[in-house]
Amino acid sequence: MSNIEIGLIGFAVLAVLLLIRMPVGTAMLLVGTGGLFVISPRGALPTLAGEVFSISSIYSLTILPLFVLMGNLAGVSGMSRDLYDAAQSWFGHYRGGLASSTVVGCAGFSALSGSSLASAVTMGRVALPEMQRFRYADSLATGSIAAGGTLGILIPPSAGFVVYAILTEESIGRLFMAGVLPGLMLTGLFILAITLLVRRNPELAPGSATRADLQVRLRSLRRATWIISIILITIGGIYLGVFSAVEAAGMGAFFAFLVAVFRRTLTWAACKEVVAYTLRSTATTFIILMGAFVFTPFVARTGIPAAIVDGLTGLGFGPYGVLLLILAVLILLGTFLEGFAILVLTLPLIQPLLEVYGFDLIWFGVLMVIVLEMGLISPPVGINVFVVKGIAPGVPMNTIFRGIWPFWFAMLIAILILVAVPEIALFLPDTMFGGG
Amino acid sequence: MATANGPERALGWVDKLSILLAAIGGLATVALVCVTVVAVFYRYVLNDPIFGMDDISTMLLTVCVAGSICYGSRIGANVHVDVLGMVGGRRITRYTDIVVRVLGAGIVGLTTYALYEQSLCGALCGFFTPNLAIPHQPFYWLLIAGMGAYTLVLILELIVGIIHIRDARDPNEHT
């Protein structure tokens, strides 16, 4: 049996294991180890142990628990509420303004949290009751939370970018910077989608908050200064070369801790909750990474990536044809696979292809993360939708999924814009200190 | 409904072990913040970088990961694709879950064994950090403890799942 055949059998087995609900990380560990054993029996166990230990001791990955901790501390300290209040006081009086405020709040919170789930949960708990109070349609209210939450993995810090950076050996700092402008653009597209929706059907947002006077707006902005300062220190610090991404994460967590202590919100129960959530996210990411680090050498040894490169280059689609094909496949995968799973399963196959065509991997990272965002809200397994369902148990799933489509198309437009104008993603990484 | 006192009680003990490991992981996370802040302070404020801080951070990350694995498995941190659950429901998943847990326990157990084998080599194989030469071995042991506890969880969840196979819901299913 040839190595390629072994690889194809490996992928088939992996598909079956995922279908029967085996966790992604352990499924990849199993197939990767099994495949390596078949190809090179003596190397399988040392590779397994070596990769599992090595992924648990990569310095740049210390960023993950640190940023998750920062996001959780920000949630506990009430800074997320401040952000929403500030957005609401500035935008809440417009028609559909509360949904737009939710998106802005999510974008801001995303700059403190690398997790889309954390963004959706934290902002959803604050924003949903407000939108329900003003009789917003359930589809718009829940859709804006689910979609806004996805900004968590695009706007830095982003767990998606960290995993992508580790797998492609790109710079985490440059990827973080590459996410900033597309993140802001997508926030704008979401708000545009809300505006168009509400203009077409005013019944979606029949009420709106009273227009706050300037003093109230400034006061709300002042309260949000804490969170804005931390965002500026961490992201600005990375851009200016003051901090490495890991140092920014540590400092951000420290400042978020100080704010929580200063506000007396860090009770013993809150402490335990923050640590528990941090460890949970750490476990989620690292088990998948362990699987990916064992699976990737197996895939590389099968020769499948090289065969795919040969096959696709032979079809004569041209670089952008292949790129659009890749994105279409990723979007399709997003409808039934979880985002991290797509990332770790497909990158070993895609990366050689991208390198052959000379695509910038930082730019592609941004495209890929937006595709993962689409997966987060795509039926039937859009995780953010389930998270929102947890916050709004009375709203049927169909209603939530109906509400996300305008945002899904906004993401598609964002991808097309970024394909046409890569500079939107590459401007900041190319101009950051030492990043050019 | 069948009783499953023995395995469920054992699972309760493993839960306690997972919380102990999680506490160690939590402390390591806090220490990671402190180390980073101290490193930044010395580097940028005192202009006197401390040598080898990266090594300490790296090993603290290993402790954090080791502490999180078993705990994460008990609170539903593992990502899986739940199309089968939606399509076939418990009618099918009650059987497929058995297969998943058997295979899961097998591969995680094998990982634990592989880590143990590798840990024996220790300094002879150059397993220490590059700057401070902190030996990897104690951190291997922590990972072995985390992976071993996770293996135990999967075995016990398998037994409990088999005992409750006729019930409407698996007591250890995370949604």
Side-chain angles (χ1 to χ4, degrees), chain B residues 60-101:
Chain B
L60 283 172
L61 175 70
T62 312
V63 179
C64 177
V65 173
S68 72
I69 289 171
C70 182
Y71 179 69
S73 75
R74 290 297 289 156
I75 58 168
N78 287 332
V79 172
H80 59 256
V81 182
D82 199 10
V83 177
L84 191 65
M86 286 181 206
V87 176
R90 174 83 172 132
R91 187 165 50 91
I92 293 173
T93 59
R94 74 180 73 203
Y95 301 110
T96 53
D97 282 357
I98 293 175
V99 179
V100 165
R101 283 171 177 150

Side-chain angles (χ1 to χ4, degrees), chain A residues 86 92 106 123 141 148 153 178 202 258 278 348 360 389 395 404 413 427:
Chain A
C106 282
M123 217 34 84
I153 58 165
L258 287 185
T278 305
D360 188 308
K389 172 74 179 164
V395 182
I404 57 98
I413 291 169
F427 174 73

Side-chain angles (χ1 to χ4, degrees), chain A residues 155-385:
Chain A
I155 295 177
S158 152
F161 278 142
V162 174
V163 173
Y164 179 89
I166 294 297
L167 292 173
T168 56
E169 298 180 356
E170 288 292 329
S171 150
I172 294 176
R174 276 174 59 87
L175 274 160
F176 276 6
M177 284 306 122
V180 174
L181 293 181
L184 294 175
M185 179 180 78
L186 194 53
T187 306
L189 285 172
F190 282 169
I191 292 172
L192 182 67
I194 292 167
T195 310
L196 292 176
L197 277 175
V198 173
R199 191 170 289 174
R200 220 183 94 203
N201 182 7
E203 287 305 305
L204 289 174
S208 51
T210 35
R211 188 188 179 97
D213 62 39
L214 189 63
Q215 218 169 16
V216 173
R217 290 188 198 188
L218 290 176
R219 203 180 310 135
S220 69
L221 204 57
R222 215 169 27 244
R223 269 192 73 78
T225 310
W226 289 104
I227 189 165
I228 294 168
S229 304
I230 296 178
I231 292 168
L232 288 178
I233 289 171
T234 50
I235 298 178
I238 296 172
Y239 181 72
L240 296 172
V242 177
F243 301 131
S244 68
V246 171
E247 288 170 341
M251 294 308 289
F254 179 65
F255 287 130
F257 168 77
L258 287 185
V259 174
V261 169
F262 179 72
R263 292 184 165 187
R264 297 180 184 188
T265 53
L266 204 58
T267 58
W268 177 237
C271 269
K272 283 200 286 190
E273 190 185 310
V274 163
V275 172
Y277 277 131
T278 305
L279 289 176
R280 183 195 163 115
S281 298
T282 304
T284 300
T285 316
F286 276 88
I287 288 178
I288 289 181
L289 279 174
M290 285 172 187
F293 264 58
V294 176
F295 186 71
T296 303
F298 161 61
V299 173
R301 286 191 201 184
T302 61
I304 287 180
I308 289 178
V309 171
D310 288 345
L312 279 178
T313 46
L315 287 175
F317 285 164
Y320 281 90
V322 170
L323 178 75
L324 292 177
L325 184 68
I326 290 172
L327 291 174
V329 170
L330 291 176
I331 290 170
L332 188 69
L333 287 175
T335 59
F336 59 91
L337 269 181
E338 198 272 338
F340 273 142
I342 298 174
L343 201 63
V344 296
L345 283 171
T346 59
L347 263 180
L349 300 176
I350 293 172
Q351 193 182 351
L353 203 56
L354 297 170
E355 284 168 348
V356 164
Y357 283 117
F359 286 120
D360 188 308
L361 285 176
I362 297 277
W363 167 67
F364 184 78
V366 175
L367 292 175
M368 188 150 192
V369 162
I370 298 178
V371 169
L372 301 190
E373 284 186 309
M374 294 168 89
L376 284 170
I377 56 172
S378 296
V381 292
I383 289 182
N384 267 26
V385 177

Side-chain angles (χ1 to χ4, degrees), chain A residues 17-27 29-30 33-34 45-53 55-59 61-63 65-66 69 241-244 246-251 253-254 272 275-288 290 336-338 340-341 380-381 383 386, chain B residues 21-23 25-27 29-30 32-33 36-37 39-41 43-44 53-55 57-59 61-65 67-69 71-73 75-86 93 96-97 99-100 103-104 106-108 110-111 113-115 117-118 136 139-140 143 147 150 154 173 175:
Chain A
L17 293 177
L18 293 179
L19 185 70
I20 63 170
R21 307 200 305 172
M22 189 162 194
V24 176
T26 39
L29 266 183
L30 182 62
T33 310
L45 280 192
T47 305
L48 175 64
E51 296 295 348
V52 165
F53 187 82
I55 198 68
S56 311
S57 54
I58 293 179
Y59 174 69
L61 279 179
T62 54
I63 199 171
L66 291 175
L69 183 68
V242 177
F243 301 131
S244 68
V246 171
E247 288 170 341
M251 294 308 289
F254 179 65
K272 283 200 286 190
V275 172
Y277 277 131
T278 305
L279 289 176
R280 183 195 163 115
S281 298
T282 304
T284 300
T285 316
F286 276 88
I287 288 178
I288 289 181
M290 285 172 187
F336 59 91
L337 269 181
E338 198 272 338
F340 273 142
V381 292
I383 289 182
F386 289 95
Chain B
L21 287 168
L27 287 174
T29 312
V30 174
L32 195 55
V33 177
T36 311
V37 171
V40 168
F41 183 79
R43 173 174 297 165
Y44 297 110
M53 287 302 249
D54 292 4
D55 284 7
S57 294
T58 303
M59 290 299 103
L61 175 70
T62 312
V63 179
C64 177
V65 173
S68 72
I69 289 171
Y71 179 69
S73 75
I75 58 168
N78 287 332
V79 172
H80 59 256
V81 182
D82 199 10
V83 177
L84 191 65
M86 286 181 206
T93 59
T96 53
D97 282 357
V99 179
V100 165
L103 293 174
I107 186 61
V108 180
L110 186 66
T111 308
Y113 172 73
L115 283 167
E117 280 281 311
Q118 189 111 322
H136 282 171
F139 302 95
Y140 263 99
L143 263 181
M147 283 290 181
Y150 182 21
L154 286 166
E173 182 170 333
T175 52

